[in-house]
Amino acid sequence: MAISYITHNDKRILYVDLTESKTEKRSLELLEETKDAYLASSTKLLVLVNTVGAFVNPVVSNKMKEYGKMYFKDRAEKRAFVGIQGLKKLILKAYITMVGGNIRVFDDIESAKEYLVS
């Protein structure tokens, strides 16, 4: 399942696994699922996003920015991204500039989880 909850040090983390998003259609579907998970939560979330191999293009990027402003920013306590390189790094920098929020980038999932629960 691409959107799930994991537990680390007794804290609940929303895990968004984008590694299976190999097309624009699938990436947009996963953004919808992520939005639904954010909206279903009654508390601020700790969020871990794995973008290794994820598909991104201008359509997906624009939808990310839109949802970031509308749904993600104010509903997340902390967000950690893994797998950000090349073009995705530029897109994430633009996303952070436009949306803001507490976002950090990590090389591996374990470091990201440690940050989220700290």
Side-chain angles (χ1 to χ4, degrees):
M1 180 172 218
I3 312 299
S4 61
Y5 282 93
I6 59 175
T7 302
H8 186 73
N9 291 351
D10 297 323
K11 293 202 178 178
R12 192 171 186 223
I13 298 170
L14 176 64
Y15 179 60
V16 180
D17 183 359
L18 301 179
T19 59
E20 66 175 74
S21 64
K22 303 298 183 198
T23 65
E24 179 181 297
K25 180 178 186 263
R26 184 62 182 141
S27 293
L28 293 172
E29 290 170 354
L30 289 171
L31 278 172
E32 286 296 320
E33 291 176 28
T34 303
K35 176 190 80 169
D36 293 343
Y38 269 81
L39 292 174
S41 178
S42 61
T43 61
K44 286 202 171 202
L45 296 165
L46 301 174
V47 182
L48 173 55
V49 182
N50 185 348
T51 68
V52 174
F55 178 89
V56 178
N57 69 4
V59 172
V60 173
S61 177
N62 288 335
K63 185 60 75 174
M64 286 171 45
K65 290 175 202 168
E66 175 189 336
Y67 282 7
K69 288 179 188 176
M70 292 175 64
Y71 306 110
F72 303 156
K73 179 185 172 193
D74 294 332
R75 290 178 172 90
E77 182 178 331
K78 291 181 181 178
R79 289 177 283 174
F81 283 73
V82 176
I84 302 292
Q85 299 173 14
L87 178 61
K88 285 186 253 178
K89 187 175 268 188
L90 293 174
I91 291 170
L92 183 61
K93 284 182 181 182
Y95 175 86
I96 293 169
T97 300
M98 292 190 72
V99 175
N102 197 354
I103 300 172
R104 299 255 324 257
V105 176
F106 294 89
D107 293 329
D108 61 90
I109 289 175
E110 285 306 311
S111 298
K113 289 193 290 189
E114 286 300 318
Y115 161 72
L116 290 170
V117 302
S118 66

